[in-house]
């Protein structure tokens, strides 16, 4: 028996794919220092593997340096191989973070948040996904039968998440056809984005081990509901105390929370190309799908882009610990690191500019006229990826949050992805995405 286990060093790239290279476990010490070689043009590999026009050509060398704190060793104890992978950062040969490393971009955004607001971030990604295997289960939205049909999967997945260092939280049969939702515990700083990557990979691996196949694609069937990624956010001050809640603030928002959310809503139409970055993402982001269609803050409203979530506690200090808000205009075509970086930059801009807390909506904005929406400061979010990209590249404030060439490279990558879809109708587009996410 050959016995030379491998570790896959991985990056979550701007296509939201997990790519990398494997090395023998025996070389771990060396690889933690030296990394594995990486190529700049890899950033132009779209989710469909077609390479978009690359400014880098065949030139350049980079290092992908695995981070032991983001490692997974997962033994399904089924006679199959142990899965080992480790997320890392991409640097140039001198160790400087690479401008297109999503994990490094997130770290910069977190530093900015700390400088602007004196707070660190606690966050958690809530994921929806669908089985492509196993047939339909009519009438099982939130159902016990639907859950039970996949109890073995659920129990295996929760154990696998636990083994991967994530606090397994809940799993349920979601509303959509063959749709499930899994949540894990929040984590601080960039760890939550690491955990989101790990959760997606471990969910896919678990399904495969059980002879099934899942997809996190933003939407499979335009007539059905989408698969959202809802990112829950809260803050800790320098002493580690909760800083998100103020019982006297609008809907309980502390001053920092109010300004942060105001920044997110102000820039939402220009960052959505980074948080909902596929062509079909915009089929999901339409009214009455419980996703997000306008740049509004909802109080416990599941149709709002940002929602203040419920708390179960009643005493003020527990309320302050539980209080959080969620960003709902994201999906799993986005790298969790890049999506979170964009949200944090928008929020930090809001804090730096001292924006007042936004008003809270508790109504259906889709019935308002364009004039009424505008008068109240709301915009309909972009309705296509191309228009989202245009809002991103034409918003200089937003582009300046990132390294100088980031916006042009990102947009060129995404235009390469769109070109791949030329001539495909909506069903074929949905199908193309469910094969790759
Ligand atoms: N499936 C919805 C989405 O696309 C979310 C449903 C829910 O509120 O959990 O975001
Ligand atoms: Mg859900």
């Amino acid at each position: 028996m050959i016995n030379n286990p491998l570790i896959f060093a991985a990056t979550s790239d701007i296509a939201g794919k997990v790519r990398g290279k494997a090395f023998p476990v025996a070389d771990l010490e060396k690889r933690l220092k030296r990394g594995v070689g990486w190529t700049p043009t890899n950033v132009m590999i779209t989710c469909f593997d077609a390479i978009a026009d690359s400014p880098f050509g065949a030139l350049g060398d980079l290092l992908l340096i695995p981070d032991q704190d983001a490692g997974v060793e997962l033994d399904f104890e089924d006679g199959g191989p142990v899965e080992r992978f480790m997320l890392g950062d991409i640097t140039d040969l001198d160790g400087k973070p690479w401008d297109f490393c999503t994990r490094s971009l997130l770290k910069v955004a977190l530093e900015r948040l700390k400088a602007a607001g004196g707070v660190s971030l606690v966050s958690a990604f809530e994921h929806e996904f669908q089985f492509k295997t196993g047939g339909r289960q009519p009438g099982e939205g939130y159902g016990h039968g639907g859950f039970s049909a996949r109890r073995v999967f659920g129990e295996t997945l929760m154990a696998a998440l636990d083994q991967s260092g994530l606090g397994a939280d809940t799993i349920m049969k979601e509303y959509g056809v063959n749709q499930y939702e899994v949540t894990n515990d929040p984590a601080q700083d960039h760890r939550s984005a690491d955990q989101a990557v790990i959760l997606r990979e471990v969910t896919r691996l678990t399904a495969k081990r059980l002879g099934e196949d899942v997809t996190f694609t933003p939407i499979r069937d335009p007539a059905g509901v989408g698969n959202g990624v809802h990112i829950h956010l809260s803050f800790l001050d320098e002493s580690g105390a909760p800083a998100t809640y103020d019982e006297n603030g609008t809907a309980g928002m502390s001053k920092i929370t109010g300004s942060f959310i105001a920044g997110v809503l102000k820039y939402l139409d220009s960052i959505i190309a980074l948080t909902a970055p596929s062509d079909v993402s915009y089929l999901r982001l339409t009214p009455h799908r419980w996703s997000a269609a306008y740049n509004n803050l909802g109080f416990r409203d599941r149709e709002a882009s940002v929602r203040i979530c419920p708390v179960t506690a009643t005493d003020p200090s527990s309320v302050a610990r539980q209080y959080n808000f969620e960003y709902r205009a994201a999906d799993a075509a986005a790298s969790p690191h890049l999506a979170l970086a964009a949200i944090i930059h928008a929020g930090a801009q809001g804090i730096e500019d001292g924006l007042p807390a936004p008003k809270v909506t508790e109504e259906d904005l889709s019935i308002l006229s364009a004039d009424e929406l505008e008068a109240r400061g709301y915009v309909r979010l972009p309705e296509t990826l191309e228009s989202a990209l245009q809002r991103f590249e034409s918003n200089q404030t937003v582009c300046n949050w990132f390294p100088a060439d980031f916006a042009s490279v990102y947009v060129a990558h995404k235009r390469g992805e769109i070109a791949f879809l030329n001539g495909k109708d909506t069903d074929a587009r949905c199908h193309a995405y469910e094969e790759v996410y």
Side-chain angles (χ1 to χ4, degrees):
M1 175 64 190
I2 297 171
N3 187 14
N4 55 345
L6 298 172
I7 300 179
F8 187 82
T11 179
S12 162
D13 68 9
I14 66 176
K17 297 290 289 184
V18 178
R19 300 189 214 262
K21 275 185 188 175
F23 59 85
V25 169
D27 290 347
L28 179 60
E29 281 308 309
K30 182 179 87 183
R31 295 293 177 190
L32 288 173
K33 293 193 200 91
R34 286 194 228 154
V36 294
W38 201 242
T39 310
T41 282
N42 286 2
V43 79
M44 300 315 270
I45 305 177
T46 68
C47 61
F48 303 120
D49 276 351
I51 300 188
D53 280 345
S54 171
F56 309 107
L59 302 176
D61 282 293
L62 299 163
L63 298 172
L64 168 53
I65 303 185
D67 175 354
Q68 214 162 11
D69 292 339
V72 169
E73 183 170 302
L74 180 55
D75 186 353
F76 286 96
E77 293 168 14
D78 58 357
V82 174
E83 294 289 349
R84 294 183 176 83
F85 62 94
M86 207 173 267
L87 305 183
D89 294 324
I90 305 176
T91 70
D92 65 19
L93 298 183
D94 299 325
K96 182 178 158 287
W98 190 44
D99 285 352
F100 307 95
C101 168
T102 60
R103 200 163 181 259
S104 305
L105 293 172
L106 174 56
K107 290 178 182 173
V108 170
L110 288 161
E111 283 306 315
R112 180 179 177 196
L113 175 65
K114 217 165 258 178
V119 290
S120 56
L121 186 80
V122 175
S123 61
F125 289 64
E126 179 184 325
H127 283 92
E128 293 170 340
F129 60 95
Q130 284 166 292
F131 280 88
K132 298 198 272 183
T133 43
R136 294 172 59 97
Q137 302 161 312
E140 283 304 327
Y142 309 106
H144 180 227
F147 163 74
S148 200
R150 292 235 162 62
R151 176 179 280 278
V152 173
F153 167 82
E155 289 175 351
T156 311
L157 176 60
M158 295 312 239
L161 292 176
D162 205 45
Q163 232 188 80
S164 307
L166 277 63
D169 183 38
T170 63
I171 180 156
M172 66 181 244
K173 171 71 189 72
E174 248 288 1
Y175 174 71
V177 174
N178 276 339
Q179 188 181 42
Y180 289 75
E181 175 180 304
V182 58
T183 59
N184 65 291
D185 291 343
Q188 224 170 306
D189 300 327
H190 62 278
R191 298 274 166 237
S192 67
D194 289 353
Q195 295 194 345
V197 176
I198 292 168
L199 178 136
R200 293 175 197 174
E201 294 307 292
V202 169
T203 305
R204 290 188 180 102
L205 290 168
T206 303
K208 292 241 161 82
R209 289 291 175 119
L210 296 173
E212 298 231 63
D213 200 6
V214 294
T215 176
F216 288 82
T217 190
I219 194 161
R220 286 190 83 191
D221 172 6
V225 293
N227 293 309
V229 171
H230 304 161
I231 308 175
H232 292 255
L233 305 138
S234 59
F235 307 119
L236 296 177
D237 70 15
E238 272 146 24
S239 70
T244 328
Y245 178 71
D246 178 346
E247 58 186 325
N248 299 314
T250 312
M253 287 180 275
S254 67
K255 188 163 179 296
I256 283 225
T257 303
S259 296
F260 184 99
I261 296 176
V264 171
L265 298 182
K266 178 172 175 186
Y267 295 102
L268 185 58
D269 65 331
S270 306
I271 63 169
I272 201 157
L274 305 175
T275 66
S278 77
D279 177 79
V280 296
S281 297
Y282 297 86
L283 299 171
R284 168 180 166 252
L285 297 174
T286 47
H288 309 143
R289 279 176 199 275
W290 286 27
S291 61
Y294 302 91
N295 61 337
N296 63 313
L297 170 65
F299 183 67
R300 303 183 187 171
D301 172 2
R302 290 184 174 78
E303 285 256 358
S305 292
V306 179
R307 175 177 89 118
I308 295 175
C309 300
V311 290
T312 51
T314 46
D315 70 288
S317 74
S318 307
V319 171
R321 249 182 290 119
Q322 284 187 2
Y323 187 87
N324 70 93
F325 56 96
E326 68 174 347
Y327 178 94
R328 297 174 67 86
D331 62 51
S335 158
H337 297 86
L338 189 54
L340 193 54
I343 296 164
I344 294 170
H345 275 300
Q349 187 76 49
I351 295 173
E352 287 166 12
D353 294 347
L355 298 183
K359 292 208 171 63
V360 176
T361 58
E362 276 177 287
E363 65 186 286
D364 180 1
L365 295 185
S366 73
I367 57 178
L368 300 186
S369 70
D371 288 346
E372 281 171 312
L373 278 175
E374 199 189 320
R376 291 174 52 184
Y378 296 121
V379 295
R380 173 72 174 91
L381 297 175
E383 295 181 57
T384 63
L385 176 56
E386 177 52 41
S387 77
L389 292 170
Q390 285 170 18
R391 305 247 190 131
F392 172 48
E393 68 185 342
S394 62
N395 191 326
Q396 218 35 64
T397 306
V398 171
C399 292
N400 287 342
W401 299 337
F402 297 95
D405 291 333
F406 181 81
S408 67
V409 164
Y410 185 80
V411 169
H413 173 119
K414 285 287 155 184
R415 294 218 166 104
E417 179 178 327
I418 292 170
F420 176 87
L421 298 166
N422 264 344
K424 289 189 166 52
D425 65 14
T426 302
D427 282 350
R429 286 165 187 242
C430 288
H431 184 72
Y433 279 106
E434 75 170 49
E435 286 202 297
V436 300
Y437 286 117

